[in-house]
């Protein structure tokens, strides 16, 4: 199959930017380790409408885009993402965003488990707290068949 054909069935997932984390203001859908952040009188870091739930500057979700709202690390967990991608004929993913050991890793491992034909992490469009943490997680993902390319390498393979 030509690279262009593969790229026609590839979705670019922008984790925690297009796939956004939003929680109930009362913290009813928050992981146990974050519950303390949602107590009375405390700012709600990722509640809908809060600064933490906003898109980064320059990124706009258009009307024709599908915005995935997630409450856990993986963009697939308890969302409609897999159904939406299947319905659009998407069988390959390129993943960018933050944080490599959390949201990126969980989403990528779920994509592998869901049998996406090709999963790529764009290494210079993902990040972790330190370069060592980033590298260690990329190593783990490569060990399960995930491609790790720079944005330039990925673009050259598709266009």
């Amino acid at each position: 199959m030509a690279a262009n054909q593969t790229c026609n069935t590839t979705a670019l997932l922008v984790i925690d930017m297009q796939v956004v984390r939003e929680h109930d203001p009362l913290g009813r859908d928050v992981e146990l380790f974050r519950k303390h952040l949602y107590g009375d009188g405390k700012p709600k870091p990722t509640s809908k409408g809060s600064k933490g739930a906003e898109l980064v500057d320059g990124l706009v979700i258009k009307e024709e885009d599908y915005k995935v709202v997630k409450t856990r690390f993986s963009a697939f967990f308890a969302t409609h993402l897999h159904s939406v991608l299947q319905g659009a004929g998407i069988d390959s993913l390129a993943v960018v965003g933050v944080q490599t050991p959390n949201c990126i890793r969980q989403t990528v491992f779920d994509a592998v488990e869901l049998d996406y034909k090709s999963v790529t992490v764009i290494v210079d469009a993902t990040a972790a707290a330190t370069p060592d943490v980033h590298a260690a997680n990329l190593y783990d993902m490569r060990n399960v068949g995930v491609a790790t390319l720079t944005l330039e390498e990925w673009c050259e393979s598709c266009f």
Side-chain angles (χ1 to χ4, degrees):
M1 177 180 290
N4 195 14
Q5 289 173 315
T6 299
C7 292
N8 288 338
T9 59
T10 299
L12 178 64
L13 295 182
V14 184
I15 305 298
D16 279 355
M17 292 168 204
Q18 179 184 28
V19 177
V20 297
R21 181 180 282 267
E22 289 181 359
H23 289 289
D24 173 77
L26 300 177
R28 293 174 286 207
D29 58 358
V30 175
E31 302 99 326
L32 287 176
F33 78 92
R34 293 183 205 263
K35 287 272 187 201
H36 70 282
L37 299 172
Y38 286 78
D40 290 337
K42 293 185 179 180
K44 313 314 188 242
T46 56
S47 296
K48 187 174 184 173
S50 72
K51 182 90 173 143
E54 291 178 3
L55 296 175
V56 297
D57 288 340
L59 186 65
V60 177
I61 296 177
K62 299 175 186 165
E63 189 174 324
E64 66 269 16
D65 293 337
Y66 188 83
K67 175 183 173 183
V68 176
V69 177
K70 67 186 185 84
T71 60
R72 296 294 191 263
F73 291 137
S74 175
F76 290 104
F77 184 83
T79 71
H80 299 290
L81 179 59
H82 184 57
S83 296
V84 169
L85 294 174
Q86 282 186 317
I90 301 298
D91 61 10
S92 299
L93 303 175
V95 182
V96 302
V98 293
Q99 273 257 14
T100 307
N102 300 333
C103 299
I104 301 301
R105 182 184 177 107
Q106 289 298 122
T107 298
V108 164
F109 274 83
D110 282 353
V112 169
E113 289 296 314
L114 290 165
D115 292 327
Y116 281 84
K117 184 171 67 176
S118 170
V119 180
T120 302
V121 174
I122 309 299
V123 299
D124 53 353
T126 52
T130 70
D132 288 343
V133 169
H134 185 60
N137 281 275
L138 293 172
Y139 175 83
D140 287 346
M141 289 184 264
R142 278 192 298 274
N143 282 336
V144 296
V146 173
T148 54
L149 302 174
T150 65
L151 181 59
E152 183 177 349
E153 291 167 337
W154 183 72
C155 288
E156 287 174 0
S157 71
C158 282
F159 305 106

